[in-house]
Amino acid sequence: QVQLQESGPGLVKPSETLSLTCTVSGGSFSNYYWSWIRQPPGKGLEWIGYIFYSGSTNYNPSLRSRVTISVETSKNQFSLKLSSVTAADTAVYYCARDSRAITMVRGINYYYYYMDVWGKGTTVTVSS
Amino acid sequence: EIVLTQSPGTLSLSPGERATLSCRASQSVSSSYLAWYQQKPGQAPRLLIYGASSRATGIPDRFSGSGSGTDFTLTISRLEPEDFAVYYCQQYGSSTTFGQGTKVEIK
């Protein structure tokens, strides 16, 4: 059974760079997309970005200038870097498997996108 | 960016009652790219529905999804005590966005 585990510092100073790693175990790392999502205290979910196992990325436009997601396939890990953090970046950060499924019905391919496996989340506080 | 607006913000119901949650998109969304998640306090979200109407593995059949275009619905036919939680819809376009959530609370 696939499991994801986030790791990294729980406290980051303003203007510094937040760095987190997600380790995938119990299943395949290849041929999947892997996402980062965050949730500020008492608020909803915000998608940060994803990386394909081969390294291609897509980022939330609102965070693009500050976000870098990278992958290390030999370790079944992917990482998040968020630069120039402020208090507004305080949140629970989740990593998730971002699946793409294909079903053929009457000769037509239907593609389905969804996040089906999530890590437990890690709290990051931005404070001096 | 496609904005998802969920309503109501809070739904107060009793166990055994039917819950109907709405998710409206600011522009048309492919049904294949619309998902629903359940989140309980202190837990990560859990996938309930993908492709607007397909239940994820292990999800009870009291959960159902429907809709197309800009209007989607999650229905819980008979609320069980463990169903009281926050529910989010999500869409994949050029960017991925979530709705702001609907809290289903015990009346």
Side-chain angles (χ1 to χ4, degrees), chain A residues 2 9 16 19-20 22 32 43 45 47-48 53 55 58 61-62 72 88 96 103-104 108 127:
Chain A
V2 179
E16 295 190 342
S19 295
L20 296 174
C22 182
Y32 282 100
K43 296 188 177 180
L45 302 166
W47 174 72
I48 298 170
Y53 80 104
N58 188 20
S62 68
E72 189 155 359
T103 299
M104 182 176 284
I108 299 173
S127 175

Side-chain angles (χ1 to χ4, degrees), chain A residues 39 58 94 98 111 115 119, chain B residues 32 37 39 44 88 90 92 94:
Chain A
Q39 186 170 37
N58 188 20
Y94 297 100
D98 203 339
Y111 295 83
M115 297 178 184
Chain B
S32 294
Y37 300 84
Q39 187 179 34
Y88 295 95
Q90 176 209 27
Y92 287 82
S94 58

Side-chain angles (χ1 to χ4, degrees), chain A residues 89-112:
Chain A
D89 296 308
T90 294
V92 176
Y93 284 76
Y94 297 100
C95 57
R97 187 173 76 177
D98 203 339
S99 291
R100 307 284 187 266
I102 304 173
T103 299
M104 182 176 284
V105 178
R106 291 188 286 275
I108 299 173
N109 280 331
Y110 291 88
Y111 295 83
Y112 299 100

Side-chain angles (χ1 to χ4, degrees), chain B residues 16-61:
Chain B
E17 290 194 294
R18 181 184 187 89
T20 303
L21 287 67
S22 173
C23 175
R24 179 160 291 177
S26 59
Q27 55 187 282
S28 185
V29 172
S30 169
S31 296
S32 294
Y33 303 158
L34 194 288
W36 289 92
Y37 300 84
Q38 177 194 67
Q39 187 179 34
K40 296 179 181 179
Q43 296 185 16
R46 176 175 72 142
L47 176 68
L48 295 176
I49 300 286
Y50 66 92
S53 60
S54 297
R55 275 186 300 277
T57 303
I59 301 303
D61 60 7

